[in-house]
């Protein structure tokens, strides 16, 4: 999903390939969790692990982007306090949060989650840096559509990587999609299921495939809704209401696209079209809105004004 620009933190010096990490204790979450990328998704992931009791270090590229990431997490935590969903005080949670521009600071993490934008080359670069910097950690990618096996292919220990696809907004979402690549260690899958439970969320475990389960189904519905809008079948509000009232979806496909980001949905659709064929070809209305900068809630306008 969306995030900040590519963190450029310098990794630790290259070393010989590390052996696969041992499974963490059965008690619960790793004591120290890293999040590489502090955009909207990364900040939400950091929030979730802080609330569950872990110490969290977020890596960003510069002091300025690190400050912005800290502000995102702080706003998220204080919003949760206002809603009465915190057990600890915001000060206690934020006392376990660290921001850094150095991948080396992830060295003692038990888990590091990659949360940079949905670009395969960028993610591979970041995962390689994490692997070097945190030789004892399990690795996770928050990709919403890219092949986890493909991202793991250039790692020294591909068995250390699993997909942990969080949903936006992370603190309020109940779901995490665990994506198992061909070489993902079985003990990592078991650990990931335990971590998701410890976060107070529900896991669905899927085999690595284009779009997994959630993105593939969600994008298919959203693209058809866009085609209906293009063809004048109905307006955006009526299309969404048909799904919220008729099928009990909490939010219609067009409003959901605004929340996710039209640019994010376009990138996923283009990837799925390459992998699965023309049925995922993005409609003209989606390309036009992205070209115009109407990206949804984050820019103030998408299929709806915000």
């Amino acid at each position: 999903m969306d995030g900040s620009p590519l963190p450029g933190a310098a990794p630790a010096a290259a070393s010989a390939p590390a052996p696969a990490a041992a499974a963490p204790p059965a008690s619960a979450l790793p004591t120290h969790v890293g999040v590489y990328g502090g955009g909207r998704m990364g900040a939400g992931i950091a929030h979730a692990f802080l609330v569950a009791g872990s110490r969290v270090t977020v890596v960003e590229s510069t002091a300025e982007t690190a400050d912005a990431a800290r502000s995102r997490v702080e706003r998220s935590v204080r919003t949760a306090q206002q809603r009465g969903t915190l057990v600890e005080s915001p000060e206690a949670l934020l006392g376990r949060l660290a921001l850094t521009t150095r991948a080396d600071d992830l060295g003692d993490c038990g888990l590091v989650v990659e949360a940079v934008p949905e670009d395969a080359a960028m993610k591979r670069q970041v995962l390689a840096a994490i692997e070097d910097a945190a030789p004892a950690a399990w690795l996770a990618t928050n990709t919403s559509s890219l092949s986890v096996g493909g991202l793991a292919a250039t790692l020294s220990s591909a068995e250390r990587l699993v997909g942990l696809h969080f949903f936006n907004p992370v603190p309020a979402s109940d779901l995490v999609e665990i994506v198992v690549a061909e070489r993902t260690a079985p003990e990592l899958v078991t650990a990931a299921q335990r971590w998701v439970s410890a976060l107070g969320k529900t896991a669905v475990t899927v085999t690595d495939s284009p779009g997994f389960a959630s993105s593939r189904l969600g994008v298919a519905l959203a693209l058809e809704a866009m085609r209906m809008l293009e063809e004048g079948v109905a307006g955006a509000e009526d299309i969404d209401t048909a799904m919220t009232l008729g099928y009990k979806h909490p939010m219609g496909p067009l409003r959901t696209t605004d929340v996710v980001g039209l640019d994010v949905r376009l990138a996923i659709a283009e990837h799925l079209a390459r992998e699965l064929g023309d049925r995922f070809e993005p409609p003209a209305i989606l390309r036009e809105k992205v070209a115009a900068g109407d990206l949804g809630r984050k820019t103030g306008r998408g299929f709806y004004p915000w």
Side-chain angles (χ1 to χ4, degrees):
M1 311 256 318
D2 59 329
S4 57
L6 170 64
S15 58
S27 55
L29 295 165
T31 301
H32 188 191
V33 173
V35 179
Y36 205 121
R40 181 181 301 170
M41 290 300 299
I45 293 167
H47 172 139
F49 280 102
L50 288 169
V51 168
S54 294
R55 180 164 59 94
V56 177
T57 296
V58 178
V59 180
E60 261 295 346
S61 56
T62 68
E64 290 75 17
T65 56
D67 286 343
R70 181 185 295 277
S71 295
R72 289 186 193 99
V73 179
E74 289 179 350
R75 285 196 302 271
S76 180
V77 167
R78 296 197 184 280
T79 297
Q81 179 195 33
Q82 293 168 4
R83 293 175 176 171
T85 60
L86 295 185
V87 174
E88 295 182 272
S89 70
E91 291 72 24
L93 265 65
L94 295 172
R96 296 197 295 273
L97 173 67
L99 277 294
T100 182
T101 59
R102 291 172 46 84
D104 294 12
D105 293 333
L106 303 174
D108 68 342
C109 287
L111 167 67
V112 181
V113 182
E114 167 275 306
V116 302
E118 197 75 348
D119 177 280
M122 183 187 301
K123 287 181 179 291
R124 282 193 290 267
Q125 179 184 343
V126 165
L127 286 166
I130 296 169
E131 184 181 43
D132 286 343
W138 290 122
L139 311 182
T141 173
N142 184 49
T143 182
S144 56
S145 64
L146 299 174
S147 167
V148 175
L151 296 177
T154 56
L155 296 177
S156 298
S157 301
E159 66 274 13
R160 293 171 60 192
L161 181 67
V162 70
L164 285 181
H165 177 203
F166 289 85
F167 291 77
N168 187 36
V170 176
S173 173
D174 294 327
L175 180 67
V176 179
E177 191 172 34
I178 298 173
V179 185
V180 182
E182 183 177 0
R183 294 180 61 188
T184 302
E187 59 267 34
L188 174 53
V189 178
T190 300
Q193 292 167 338
R194 185 170 64 247
W195 296 333
V196 172
S197 178
L199 292 174
K201 301 183 185 298
T202 297
V204 293
T205 304
V206 303
T207 300
D208 190 18
S209 59
F212 318 136
S214 60
S215 292
R216 185 166 170 177
L217 288 170
V219 169
L221 179 61
L223 295 180
E224 189 58 30
M226 293 173 207
R227 294 186 189 102
M228 291 169 63
L229 186 62
E230 278 185 329
E231 295 166 6
V233 173
E237 189 73 46
D238 286 338
I239 291 169
D240 279 351
T241 299
M243 300 310 297
T244 57
L245 297 185
Y247 290 86
K248 303 304 181 185
H249 289 197
M251 191 184 301
L254 297 173
R255 193 175 295 276
T256 298
T257 296
D258 273 8
V259 172
V260 170
L262 276 70
D263 53 337
V264 175
R265 276 275 160 94
L266 176 59
I268 295 171
E270 289 176 332
H271 171 70
L272 292 176
R274 289 191 296 270
E275 296 290 329
L276 298 173
D278 291 345
R279 67 187 187 273
F280 286 99
E281 181 62 29
I285 191 172
L286 178 58
R287 294 191 184 278
E288 290 164 1
K289 283 185 174 291
V290 171
D294 296 337
L295 307 183
R297 184 171 63 180
K298 60 189 172 186
T299 60
R301 179 171 295 277
F303 291 103
Y304 294 88
W306 291 83

